[in-house]
Amino acid sequence: MSFYVTTPIYYVNAAPHLGHAYSMIAADVLARHMRQRGEDVFFLTGTDEHGEPVALAAEREGLTPRELVDRNAPRFKDLAPKLNISNDFFIRTSDPEHMAKVQEVLARVHENGHVYEGVYEGWYCPRCADFKTEAEAGEDHLCPIHRTALVREKEDNYFFRLSAFQDDLLELLDEQPDFVMPKHRYNEARTFIESGLQDVSLTRSTFTWGVPVPWDPDHVFYVWFDALLNYYTALSYAKPGEDLTDRFWPPQFHVIGKDILKFHTVFWPAMLMAAGLPLPRHVFVHGFLLMRDSGEDAELLKMSKSMGNVLDPFQIVEDFGADALRYYCMRDVSFGQDGEVSTARFAVLYESELANDFGNLASRTIAMVHRYRGGTVPPAEPDPDLAAEIDAVVADVSELLDRADLTGALDAIWQRVRRLNRYVEEQAPWVLARDDARAADLDRVLASLIGGLRVVAVVLHPWIPATVERLLGALDAPELALEGARTQAGRLGRIAKLEPLFPKPQLDPVA
Ligand code: ME8
């Protein structure tokens, strides 16, 4: 089966922060897990480079938009390998192949009769690149997201007949209750549609930084339609000489933040219907990472560059490694909800869960095999009760990740990590080791622990891939397929010694 997963493509008018990293990590966990299940996976991320926010940022810096995007896009592109993200392609919407495909699809929408010429008059947020309804603008005419003044715009536009898709969209939500996940976001999308859809601008004519409209050279496409189409256009040129569209379209999951729900759950499916293209299977809408701005009583705010309260993912990776960051993001904030993040909580979880629960389990299990059995895993049958409990994690995690429950899946794994630690305490191998008559028991305990550790490590790979690869390397069992992830599967032989998986970080003293 094919599995296509995407992140939003990020505006290049600011530097990447942990919020951007968060969506990438989440999508990466899904992609890596599906590869372990043997699925044919394609994973896309990239940058959104057109439109007014970019044009305005370039103007402020005295650059051309092209200079600005060429300077900033690599900052996002570099974030992916730093976080150990396994994306198959990185799209930039200024790619000529993307632009040509956008023209092709939107010309079809035009030919299909879903576009008309008119004048837009209403409220607009240049920061969101979003036209706001009267209800959204409210009486104060402030952007509900940025709390900055909205601009009254009047311009010649071509419109997309979104209103004509209201019934089709409601039918889609009726027939596919998991089209938008989680449920409270589904309800939000439904309420938005039921409140009545207005036609939306498809083109802009007051600036030129965008994809030219093929039937009217005075217009460029509205950046949101250009951007949304990245999910479709990328497949046509990601692999030189091969069009991957038939193999991967439609996507299984669009992973997005709640700020862009309307675009992905209303505009996007309507646009695909208008173009006659199959719809994505799920849009998963995650919450915001929030941070206090300063001090204990400080307000909890969405982390964003403009608010200035950002955790810098590059710095965290530098100090603690990518795996620790990946783990923290998925563990501390329930995926789908908003959640507070802080360096203090990060340090607590690093020490208590990564270093102590998991790191120590690996270290002491391997150390005991060396101390008591000279580094060779005894060829004993594992404890059946323990093995059953550990092995069930594979089905649990698969089932939870089918619903993109990334936090639930991590919790299911952690229950097994803790189970293995309890098993060490219950069985007290150091006591068995003192009694030659109990050598077979010690063999069984060590085989159970190493076998269990391997299973847990394999299912944990999508969250902390580099660490797991190091551990499995020490066990001389690099295989990652879930099919072979059973306590009893295969025999482990000689194993290597292992340096601590999560050592105390060497931090530069704070100036
Ligand atoms: O909206 N917490 O780009 P963008 C969690 N280009 N996630 C966050 C976050 C936070 N505090 N801040 C940002 C755009 N994100 C458009 C998207 S898609 C066709 C076009 C993540 O750079 C989250 O995924 O503003 C959010 O939806 C996205 O970054 C917005 O990125």
Side-chain angles (χ1 to χ4, degrees), residues 4-24:
Y4 179 24
V5 58
T6 67
T7 72
I9 51 169
Y10 304 109
Y11 287 134
V12 286
N13 49 339
H17 62 69
L18 193 61
H20 303 122
Y22 184 62
S23 311
M24 282 191 186

Side-chain angles (χ1 to χ4, degrees), residues 8-11 17 19-20 22-23 48 224 227-228 230-231 256-260 264 286-289 302-304:
I9 51 169
Y10 304 109
Y11 287 134
H17 62 69
H20 303 122
Y22 184 62
S23 311
D48 184 355
W224 267 101
L228 287 162
N230 90 88
Y231 303 131
I256 62 161
K258 67 178 186 181
D259 48 340
I260 53 180
H264 284 80
H286 65 66
F288 281 155
L289 304 185
K302 177 198 173 201
M303 191 185 329
S304 76

Side-chain angles (χ1 to χ4, degrees), residues 173-216:
L173 293 185
D174 284 340
E175 280 170 11
Q176 283 188 47
D178 56 1
F179 177 69
V180 184
M181 299 162 74
K183 192 71 193 165
H184 62 287
R185 298 296 169 204
Y186 170 93
N187 293 338
E188 192 179 326
R190 185 161 199 116
T191 306
F192 185 87
I193 298 165
E194 279 171 349
S195 71
L197 296 180
Q198 293 166 15
D199 295 341
V200 290
S201 294
L202 177 70
T203 73
R204 305 290 312 270
S205 58
T206 48
F207 58 90
T208 55
W209 180 242
V211 177
V213 172
W215 66 86
D216 187 337

Side-chain angles (χ1 to χ4, degrees), residues 52 88 226 254 330 347 403 507:
E52 219 172 11
D88 295 286
D226 165 0
H254 288 310
M330 293 299 123
R403 292 184 269 129
L507 298 182

Side-chain angles (χ1 to χ4, degrees), residues 41-103:
V41 173
F42 194 83
F43 171 19
L44 180 70
T45 187
T47 42
D48 184 355
E49 304 193 1
H50 288 135
E52 219 172 11
V54 170
L56 289 175
E59 205 176 289
R60 277 197 301 275
E61 296 200 41
L63 299 171
T64 64
R66 164 58 64 190
E67 285 167 342
L68 182 97
V69 301
D70 285 347
R71 188 195 67 190
N72 286 4
R75 295 179 186 168
F76 285 88
K77 199 167 178 176
D78 292 349
L79 182 63
K82 282 239 187 273
L83 295 168
N84 212 347
I85 298 295
S86 64
N87 56 305
D88 295 286
F89 188 59
F90 189 96
I91 189 169
R92 295 183 54 185
T93 56
S94 60
D95 292 343
E97 298 93 333
H98 164 79
M99 294 174 66
K101 201 78 182 174
V102 167
Q103 289 180 322

